[in-house]
């Protein structure tokens, strides 16, 4: 097969093709903005509780990261996953013939995940509107009344859920949020803010950061920032790095050679070439096998698929600016693979190893094997009456209004690549395990009462940077999405604000529906 790159678009092409000739007015009991796993779980739960549900999705695919390459599920503790989230992994197990006691499967191909989600939504009769780019939010009496999209469509509902990775709806609704890393002093944490010293995902050899080695006046190599180091625990606006979770295959009949991306510039990988000269080769060290000869490629080591420092403006950027950032990430990640497979500065054995892999012809067929969803690990984070912090992860503080369990490592990818004492250093990586599963508070997925009374936020929930790094796993997002829809249905039934839902009744219903609290 010949490698050919078909351009992907975060926004521009969708905007050009979105119909604005006949705008629609859509009415529902529950409107969910975002067809992510959290949004899908919320939609299913809402219909099961008798609500008229609609999903408005920014892009043209369902399933977010779970259907876009993140096929090796990040799990802190399988026993903490229940409800619709567990149903999804059992559906995967049924497809693959799982040998696990409960029939779940945790490694899967992207197209299988998207097909299951699509079948679920069709079975439940949930209408999904694609290419819906939020333009404005109308509020009345402290409540969201209507969403208006750029194509003129309007969505009216009694309850709304923001299931986006960025928190676009909560922001337009006037809800408080934070972007970046808080200082440790804000919530009396130890792992937040600027963080040096973690041994993983850094350079394991001295690498000179200057264009001419040993000459600072020659300027820095591409990808290296001239930012001041700062101090341990200092807050800043940096956001942990994004990448694409790239599905690869080594099956010859299904393998597309890595194509040269548009605007390819081999000079942006000069730092990697210099690093390879030291003898370290770990760039593709986290290329984990999945079914049918495919993998889930993630970041590993000092220079890999994480485009460090290139995403800091994404959470609050306009759609047009996000398009530019998105294209830059496509060019970086695809360019990295093309560079490793073809550039003479890469040792021949490594080039041969990389050429053994390629993009799968039977995945992401509309973009020739490249995933459609950028891995937005962290966007806005709501600030509500309770903020989940390191104290909750470590069980120093326990909430009494659990709507789900989190259990993954307090995890942050690197945020910056800077110069320290004349060498290149990545900063921001943290990987510290919590002491077992811990509950996520209902108050962390609803705004402050004075800000909005009919919105729930299961993805960009109220959490500090480091606690969010533990909570932000796709199984947990599905858990919280289901709980959010349950609360929305109960609030509609009682005619009350989401903040006034009776927690005892909510907990009973969640447990009846298989949630683990």
């Amino acid at each position: 097969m010949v490698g050919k790159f078909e351009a992907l678009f975060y926004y521009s092409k969708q905007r050009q093709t979105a119909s604005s000739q006949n705008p629609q007015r859509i009415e529902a009991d529950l409107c969910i903005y975002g067809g992510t796993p959290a949004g899908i779980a919320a939609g299913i739960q809402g219909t099961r509780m008798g609500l008229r549900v609609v999903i408005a999705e920014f892009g043209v695919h369902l399933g977010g990261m779970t259907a876009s390459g993140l096929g090796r599920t990040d799990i802190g503790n399988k026993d903490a996953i229940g409800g619709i989230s567990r149903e999804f992994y059992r559906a995967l197990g049924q497809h693959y013939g799982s040998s696990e006691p409960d029939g779940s499967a945790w490694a899967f191909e992207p197209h299988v995940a998207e097909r299951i989600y699509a079948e679920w939504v069709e079975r439940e009769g949930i209408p999904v509107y694609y290419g819906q780019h939020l333009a404005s939010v109308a509020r009345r009496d402290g409540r969201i009344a209507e969403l208006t999209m750029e194509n003129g469509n309007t969505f009216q509902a009694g309850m709304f859920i923001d299931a986006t990775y960025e928190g676009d709806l909560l922001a337009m609704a006037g809800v408080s949020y934070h972007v970046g890393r808080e200082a440790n002093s804000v919530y009396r944490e130890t792992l937040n803010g600027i963080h040096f010293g973690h041994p993983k995902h850094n350079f394991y050899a001295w690498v000179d950061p200057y264009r001419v080695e040993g000459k600072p006046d020659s300027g820095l190599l591409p990808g290296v920032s001239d930012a001041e180091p700062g101090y341990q625990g200092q807050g800043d606006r940096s956001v942990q790095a994004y990448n694409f979770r790239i599905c690869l295959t080594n099956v010859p009949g299904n393998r597309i050679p890595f194509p040269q991306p548009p605007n390819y510039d081999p000079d942006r990988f000069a730092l990697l070439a210099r690093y390879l000269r030291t003898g370290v080769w770990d760039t593709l060290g986290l290329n984990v096998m999945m079914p049918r000869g495919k993998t889930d490629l993630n970041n590993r080591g000092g220079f890999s698929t994480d485009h460090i420092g290139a995403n800091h403006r994404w959470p609050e950027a306009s759609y047009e600016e996000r398009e530019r950032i998105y294209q830059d990430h496509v060019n970086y990640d695809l360019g990295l693979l093309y560079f490793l497979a073809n550039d003479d500065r890469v040792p021949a054995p490594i080039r041969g190893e990389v050429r053994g892999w390629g993009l799968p012809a039977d995945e992401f067929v509309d973009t020739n094997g490249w995933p459609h969803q950028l891995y937005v690990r962290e966007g806005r984070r709501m600030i509500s009456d309770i903020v989940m912090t390191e104290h909750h992860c470590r069980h120093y503080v326990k909430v009494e209004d659990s709507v789900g369990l989190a259990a993954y490592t307090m995890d942050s990818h690197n945020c910056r690549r800077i110069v320290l004492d004349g060498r290149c250093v990545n900063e921001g990586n943290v990987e510290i395990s919590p002491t077992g599963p811990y509950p996520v508070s209902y108050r962390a997925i609803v705004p402050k009462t004075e800000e909005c009374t009919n919105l729930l936020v299961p993805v960009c929930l109220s959490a500090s940077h480091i606690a969010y790094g533990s909570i932000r796993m796709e199984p947990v997002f599905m858990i919280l999405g289901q709980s959010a829809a349950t609360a929305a249905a109960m609030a509609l039934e009682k005619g009350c604000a989401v903040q006034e839902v009776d927690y005892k009744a909510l907990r009973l219903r969640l447990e009846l529906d298989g949630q683990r609290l």
Side-chain angles (χ1 to χ4, degrees), residues 73-104:
T73 310
D74 293 317
I75 309 163
N77 186 315
K78 294 176 183 178
D79 291 335
I81 300 170
I84 291 170
S85 186
R86 194 69 173 210
E87 289 178 35
F88 173 72
Y89 295 105
R90 285 174 179 150
L92 289 167
Q94 186 174 12
H95 174 82
Y96 288 112
S98 171
S99 59
E100 288 210 3
D102 78 333
S104 297

Side-chain angles (χ1 to χ4, degrees), residues 378-397:
E378 194 168 12
R380 299 177 179 93
R381 299 188 307 279
M382 183 169 64
I383 302 174
S384 193
D385 289 331
I386 187 168
V387 178
M388 300 295 298
T389 68
E390 180 182 338
H391 303 285
H392 299 98
C393 301
R394 293 187 184 272
H395 291 251
Y396 298 161
V397 176

Side-chain angles (χ1 to χ4, degrees), residues 231-299:
Y231 58 85
Q232 195 85 341
Q234 180 183 355
D236 66 6
R237 298 285 289 178
S238 299
V239 177
Q240 62 175 308
Y242 300 168
N243 65 349
F244 286 91
R245 292 291 284 259
I246 309 164
C247 184
L248 303 182
T249 184
N250 59 3
V251 178
N254 194 36
R255 183 180 63 208
I256 303 171
F258 300 122
Q260 179 176 312
N263 305 314
Y264 173 67
D265 179 8
D267 188 50
R268 76 189 313 184
F269 305 106
L271 181 66
L272 174 58
R274 193 171 288 178
Y275 189 36
L276 291 173
R277 285 208 318 265
T278 70
V280 180
W281 164 234
D282 58 3
T283 302
L284 302 189
L286 199 54
N287 191 27
V288 185
M289 291 303 302
M290 300 189 303
R292 300 181 63 236
K294 296 174 186 173
T295 69
D296 172 355
L297 174 63
N298 197 7
N299 182 81

Side-chain angles (χ1 to χ4, degrees), residues 184-199:
N184 270 331
S185 59
V186 173
Y187 298 117
R188 302 177 67 86
E189 297 176 296
T190 67
L191 299 173
N192 211 333
I194 291 172
H195 195 85
F196 292 102
H198 198 281

